[in-house]
Amino acid sequence: MHRQLAAALATSLVASASTVPYSQYILAPSQRDLSPVSVYRANGTVANAAGVTTSGSGDTTFNSASAVTYDYTKNIGGLVSFVVSGSSDNDQYIGISFTESSLWISPDGSDATQDIGIDETLWFKITGPGNYSVEPLHERGGFRYLNVYHNTTGNVTLSHLQTYFTAMPHFPDDGIGEYTGYFHSNDEKLNRVWYAGAYTDQLCTIPSTSGNSLVDLDATDPNIPTVWWSNSTLTNGSSAFTDGPKRDKLIWPGDFAISVPGVFLSTDDAITVKLSLQQLFASQNTTTGALPWFAQPLYAFPDNGFLNLGRRVFSFNYHLFTLLGLHNYWIYTGDDEYLQNNWNRFKLGLNYSLSFIDETGLANVTSSFDWLRAGMGGHNIEANSILKHTLDVAVTLAYAVNDTSQIATWTNASSAIVTAANTLLWNSTASFFKDNETTTLYPQDGNVWSIISGLASPSQSTAISTALSARWGPYGAPAPEAGTTVSPFITGFELQAHFLAGAPQRAIDLMRFMWADFMLDDPRMTNSTYIEGYDTSGSLHYPAYADDARISHSHGWSSGPVLALSTFAAGLHVLNSTHWVAHPQPGNLTRVEAGFKVGHGFYAANYSSTAEGARYELSTPEGTRGSLVLDTPECNARISITGVIGSGGKHARADDHGHVKNFHWAKKVQSHGAAASPWKCGVWGPSTPEYETASDDTVTVDNLAGGNYTVLITCI
Ligand SMILES: *[C@@H]1O[C@H](CO)[C@@H](O)[C@H](O)[C@H]1NC(C)=O
Ligand SMILES: *[C@@H]1O[C@H](CO)[C@@H](O)[C@H](O)[C@H]1NC(C)=O
Ligand SMILES: *[C@@H]1O[C@H](CO)[C@@H](O)[C@H](O)[C@H]1NC(C)=O
Ligand SMILES: *[C@@H]1O[C@H](CO)[C@@H](O)[C@H](O)[C@H]1NC(C)=O
Ligand SMILES: *[C@@H]1O[C@H](CO)[C@@H](O)[C@H](O)[C@H]1NC(C)=O
Ligand SMILES: *[C@@H]1O[C@H](CO)[C@@H](O)[C@H](O)[C@H]1NC(C)=O
Ligand SMILES: *[C@@H]1O[C@H](CO)[C@@H](O)[C@H](O)[C@H]1NC(C)=O
Ligand SMILES: *[C@@H]1O[C@H](CO)[C@@H](O)[C@H](O)[C@H]1NC(C)=O
Ligand SMILES: *[C@@H]1O[C@H](CO)[C@@H](O)[C@H](O)[C@H]1NC(C)=O
Ligand SMILES: *[C@@H]1O[C@H](CO)[C@@H](O)[C@H](O)[C@H]1NC(C)=O
Ligand SMILES: *[C@@H]1O[C@H](CO)[C@@H](O)[C@H](O)[C@H]1NC(C)=O
Ligand SMILES: *[C@@H]1O[C@H](CO)[C@@H](O)[C@H](O)[C@H]1NC(C)=O
């Protein structure tokens, strides 16, 4: 442990924020006082509408009924204020409204947080020159467009208009964009996609005291704009990691399954993840072990029905997502104490899940609550895949806390799920698992999770990956278990599934056309953060909601490309704070590069294709160990690995006995094309490594010490 700490401190000096490359892509603002960037639209008689924008100068005067919609050109969040320098009299009004998507720009209200209609405009009575600010409870966490409406005869002149950016409240005012991680490739679309994912997670990180915007969820009249505010307290610290900054502003564990790794790979904001997870565990029913659908705020008003639902109802999968959240937090932080402190809760929770397993070996899900999909019951494939995955994770955590008492039970339950799911739910003609045994619906969620969990065999995974990609529409991958939904949440898992199935190009293609071409570039989007869901037709209608204005355009659960690109494309898989796997899967990218600093050290990888083959540079923290996995080259090739470990600058490797040996390994491999020639292991030189395996698909070198490596793949 001490050795790791020392290593982490040493690398943190090297990898200080100012050296993080590609900062030109970072969307986070460089300071908190933000003026609008441009005028999107002006109505009525407005003099010098652009005066209060970053590119304008001079005052802006609103005459009679008039309005200006200002554009921040990206999604932001915070507290609006303005300075009035003059007005015709003391009986003027200015109304402020907000929206993430241009679809909902209106002088009469903001986009919605409720089930119906829109949120009311905030009105200010202008009594003379001076500063006017929204109250803290009207922190609007997500908006790109700010509408300023003047509804009276007479005039009001503004000399200043700004938003105080409130996301990432615990980061320094000038350090919001000090990322600890980076990504770059030869594909400009993917570069933008990664940084928008990181920024989405940042906007979801809100002040702990501005939680829960669902004030009037029971509103029934679409014509009456509803009151709204955000003043519940979500965690015991200064920040909270929520589903979305406009709405719900609540700690949802489903979102964590995608967004928590994204946070560690971009900003390493461990404290917010820890505080937020703690709030989920604090809401556990200590009798049954049931974890909440979402965390209860510490203080909430009104105590509306929806907030109570979070603890009253049980979601089989969201319950498991809290357990997986603890694992994700632990692998990047190595925080054994936190794991130990929550271990009894983890076991209680997992045993509750096991109580749903019946004589078939599968869990019979009896609650319909999931990610707002339909038909979530019976021997559901998604639930059983996630349960299998959680059981496997539990075994690794059990070793970490030295509590091996239930390992046999968990291992047996995991394999029984695999056997039963294959018997009852697999359809080899369709190349899909069915949702449950009484249907022929083949869900996206269950099939992608069957791959991630390893419930699907390698050949099934290959077939499922092909079948999933055959269903894609022009706007993304469908989730037929939720009607006509495209779910960027479930598709974030689909990205991982294609990489795991050995089809990286599918994941890369999907990120390009779904996340870049549609979710960033469609003009109804914010061009900076990711929408929570939409319709397969490309309409911004999320089938789960009646009210399209309610859709969040910044949802952490849609940030899956951060993990997909850093972990899979660039190949940096962190298993825990001492072990990693490096396996680049660049598809047809000619260059892909990622790096990140976490508590136990700094990771970096840089893959590039060369005239002769390819080159892969790898850095992992001193004191760790890992495996290098390479896809078998398409050509007959020579692979050489040169390592530099420790500070001596020698080409060296520590063997099992801690002795340092100079090394330079090389081997010849044959491509595994149509030719019948089997894979042939060449001879390594100068010394033969003890750990080396090869198959038709990959060549693996195990037990490499943390350090810097250069891998050259040269076609011969
Ligand atoms: C601008 O005027 C049009 C036409 O009167 C109206 O429909 C729209 O709501 C106004 N927009 C704003 C932002 O005031
Ligand atoms: C605002 O209205 C007052 C009263 O009619 C007028 O004197 C003043 O010039 C107007 N200001 C601007 C900037 O148009
Ligand atoms: C302007 O809006 C304010 C606040 O809603 C309202 O009290 C006032 O009557 C409106 N004035 C006009 C002329 O519509
Ligand atoms: C825990 O769950 C049991 C069984 O569903 C229920 O009776 C009890 O009220 C729950 N406790 C709390 C504190 O919600
Ligand atoms: C939030 O603000 C509302 C409206 O002012 C107030 O009624 C409520 O008590 C506040 N809730 C909390 C938890 O402060
Ligand atoms: C089985 O799956 C179908 C399709 O999703 C669904 O309609 C049905 O309700 C599910 N059965 C149960 C018991 O949930
Ligand atoms: C699941 O449990 C429910 C409630 O006990 C029961 O009605 C249903 O038949 C079970 N489903 C299966 C597939 O066993
Ligand atoms: C970390 O992962 C490696 C590889 O799976 C495993 O051998 C090791 O025991 C793990 N360490 C801990 C502390 O769980
Ligand atoms: C588990 O046991 C090992 C070996 O005895 C010890 O090094 C480690 O600190 C223990 N871990 C925990 C979390 O107790
Ligand atoms: C399996 O899938 C095929 C092709 O979709 C379908 O025709 C067949 O009915 C399915 N079989 C079962 C048992 O669901
Ligand atoms: C979207 O944002 C990128 C920067 O991330 C910018 O280069 C591009 O011009 C923006 N697109 C539009 C249509 O504004
Ligand atoms: C990568 O492959 C995709 C199809 O999967 C293709 O559209 C694209 O042009 C290719 N890019 C390069 C640089 O070859």
Side-chain angles (χ1 to χ4, degrees):
M1 209 56 224
H2 289 139
R3 179 158 177 218
Q4 279 168 39
L5 187 63
L9 286 172
T11 36
S12 71
L13 292 176
V14 179
S16 79
S18 57
T19 65
V20 171
Y22 306 116
S23 57
Q24 69 271 26
Y25 290 94
I26 293 175
L27 292 165
S30 54
Q31 45 97 27
R32 293 193 185 272
D33 291 327
L34 306 178
S35 293
V37 176
S38 59
V39 170
Y40 180 76
R41 200 149 74 199
N43 264 5
T45 311
V46 182
N48 190 25
V52 292
T53 65
T54 51
S55 57
S57 64
D59 291 0
T60 301
T61 299
F62 293 79
N63 291 289
S64 300
S66 56
V68 178
T69 307
Y70 290 102
D71 186 356
Y72 274 95
T73 68
K74 65 186 175 197
N75 213 346
I76 62 161
L79 295 163
V80 171
S81 61
F82 53 90
V83 178
V84 171
S85 57
S87 64
S88 53
D89 56 77
N90 294 342
D91 201 18
Q92 298 292 312
Y93 287 90
I94 289 285
I96 299 284
S97 53
F98 309 89
T99 175
E100 296 188 292
S101 168
S102 58
L103 288 175
W104 310 109
I105 294 169
S106 165
D108 303 319
S110 302
D111 52 5
T113 50
Q114 324 300 335
D115 255 349
I116 203 159
I118 53 176
D119 286 4
E120 67 175 2
T121 297
L122 304 178
W123 283 102
F124 295 83
K125 184 169 168 45
I126 306 301
T127 53
N131 293 336
Y132 294 80
S133 301
V134 304
E135 303 156 90
L137 85 169
H138 281 133
E139 188 250 19
R140 193 78 181 181
F143 64 93
R144 172 175 166 174
Y145 302 96
L146 174 62
N147 199 63
V148 180
Y149 181 32
H150 176 245
N151 68 341
T152 33
T153 53
N155 64 44
V156 173
T157 299
L158 304 188
S159 61
H160 190 70
L161 171 66
Q162 73 165 44
T163 301
Y164 179 78
F165 186 85
T166 47
M168 304 298 289
H170 55 314
F171 270 40
D173 292 346
D174 59 356
I176 311 162
E178 288 195 356
Y179 286 12
T180 46
Y182 61 87
F183 173 82
H184 199 254
S185 72
N186 62 299
D187 187 329
E188 209 46 48
K189 287 186 183 184
L190 296 183
N191 300 340
R192 285 174 59 217
V193 162
W194 191 93
Y195 283 90
Y199 184 57
T200 299
D201 289 336
Q202 285 195 293
L203 270 199
C204 292
T205 306
I206 66 171
S208 161
T209 49
S210 62
N212 177 31
S213 58
L214 304 173
V215 175
D216 193 12
L217 205 64
D218 301 326
T220 52
D221 187 342
N223 298 312
I224 302 175
T226 46
V227 296
W228 62 275
W229 61 69
S230 307
N231 63 353
S232 58
T233 299
L234 298 181
T235 71
N236 267 320
S238 56
S239 55
F241 195 33
T242 65
D243 58 332
K246 179 189 80 165
R247 195 225 83 240
D248 297 331
K249 297 187 144 190
L250 286 169
I251 298 167
W252 283 93
D255 306 64
F256 278 27
I258 283 281
S259 58
V260 165
V263 164
F264 284 107
L265 298 171
S266 57
T267 60
D268 195 30
D269 183 11
I271 183 65
T272 305
V273 173
K274 180 179 184 174
L275 287 166
S276 305
L277 268 178
Q278 201 50 50
Q279 207 49 36
L280 284 161
F281 277 110
S283 307
Q284 186 174 32
N285 182 321
T286 50
T287 309
T288 61
L291 288 152
W293 198 23
F294 56 84
Q296 293 294 116
L298 274 76
Y299 308 106
F301 182 89
D303 199 10
N304 68 33
F306 186 75
L307 286 184
N308 288 332
L309 208 61
R311 193 164 47 193
R312 266 208 332 270
V313 307
F314 177 69
S315 162
F316 191 91
N317 288 338
Y318 276 46
H319 170 87
L320 293 173
F321 284 140
T322 294
L323 303 182
L324 293 175
L326 178 62
H327 178 244
N328 270 323
Y329 169 81
W330 175 77
I331 62 176
Y332 292 106
T333 59
D335 187 345
D336 290 328
E337 189 185 342
Y338 189 75
L339 173 62
Q340 191 70 61
N341 288 342
N342 285 292
W343 180 241
N344 285 335
R345 289 180 178 275
F346 182 100
K347 281 196 295 184
L348 188 66
L350 187 56
N351 286 335
Y352 185 56
S353 301
L354 291 176
S355 73
F356 289 81
I357 291 181
D358 61 24
E359 66 288 350
T360 62
L362 294 175
N364 174 7
V365 179
T366 51
S367 154
S368 62
F369 294 90
D370 196 26
W371 59 272
L372 298 183
R373 53 152 294 179
M376 185 63 215
H379 294 139
N380 176 275
I381 184 65
E382 181 202 19
N384 278 283
S385 296
I386 297 174
L387 177 56
K388 184 229 183 266
H389 183 64
T390 312
L391 287 163
D392 296 348
V393 157
V395 171
T396 68
L397 292 179
Y399 284 117
V401 297
N402 294 332
D403 175 4
T404 54
S405 56
Q406 297 193 65
I407 284 180
T409 308
W410 293 341
T411 308
N412 291 340
S414 172
S415 31
I417 290 171
V418 178
T419 307
N422 273 286
T423 307
L424 297 174
L425 303 176
W426 176 246
N427 181 335
S428 59
T429 313
S431 295
F432 274 135
F433 287 97
K434 311 191 260 199
D435 215 21
N436 58 55
E437 37 316 36
T438 64
T439 181
T440 52
L441 185 134
Y442 305 111
Q444 182 190 21
D445 57 12
N447 279 287
V448 300
W449 269 102
S450 78
I451 296 177
I452 294 172
S453 64
L455 186 152
S457 68
S459 65
Q460 284 172 319
S461 299
T462 305
I464 292 169
S465 165
T466 306
L468 285 168
S469 66
R471 300 202 300 201
W472 292 347
Y475 305 103
E481 65 275 27
T484 55
T485 296
V486 175
S487 171
F489 171 46
I490 302 303
T491 309
F493 297 120
E494 182 173 331
L495 297 175
Q496 297 172 39
H498 291 302
F499 281 111
L500 287 164
Q505 192 59 42
R506 290 198 181 114
I508 287 165
D509 290 346
L510 192 50
M511 282 186 271
R512 287 171 53 89
F513 83 86
M514 179 166 156
W515 268 270
D517 295 346
F518 190 64
M519 292 169 69
L520 285 179
D521 285 348
D522 185 281
R524 296 166 294 177
M525 304 291 185
T526 65
N527 189 26
S528 55
T529 55
Y530 293 126
I531 190 171
E532 73 180 310
Y534 51 93
D535 193 89
T536 48
S537 67
S539 134
L540 300 196
H541 166 67
Y542 187 35
Y545 299 157
D547 185 1
D548 294 346
R550 183 172 190 239
I551 297 172
S552 162
H553 279 255
S554 181
H555 242 57
W557 80 1
S558 303
S559 65
V562 178
L563 171 68
L565 290 168
S566 295
T567 301
F568 287 95
L572 293 169
H573 301 256
V574 177
L575 302 182
N576 56 40
S577 62
T578 55
H579 284 76
W580 42 267
V581 170
H583 178 192
Q585 293 184 277
N588 71 0
L589 297 173
T590 55
R591 200 170 47 74
V592 55
E593 200 183 338
F596 51 88
K597 185 175 78 65
V598 289
H600 62 272
F602 181 69
Y603 292 82
N606 188 348
Y607 170 94
S608 52
S609 55
T610 62
E612 301 78 30
R615 180 188 181 94
Y616 187 54
E617 309 269 2
L618 175 69
S619 279
T620 56
E622 210 175 315
T624 62
R625 294 224 154 230
S627 301
L628 173 69
V629 180
L630 299 171
D631 290 341
T632 305
E634 298 292 321
C635 54
N636 290 342
R638 178 176 182 278
I639 297 177
S640 81
I641 305 169
T642 307
V644 181
I645 299 161
S647 53
K650 288 183 193 144
H651 290 188
R653 159 182 180 263
D655 69 11
D656 275 354
H657 310 289
H659 303 123
V660 174
K661 294 186 202 165
N662 292 332
F663 80 93
H664 176 94
W665 297 335
K667 76 181 292 188
K668 285 181 182 176
V669 299
Q670 285 188 317
S671 73
H672 59 107
S677 71
W679 173 271
K680 283 188 187 143
C681 289
V683 178
W684 292 80
S687 57
T688 311
E690 305 92 299
Y691 314 98
E692 170 216 331
T693 56
S695 71
D696 270 1
D697 296 328
T698 53
V699 54
T700 301
V701 182
D702 282 336
N703 209 21
L704 290 169
N708 298 333
Y709 294 90
T710 300
V711 182
L712 289 176
I713 300 162
T714 312
C715 291
I716 48 175

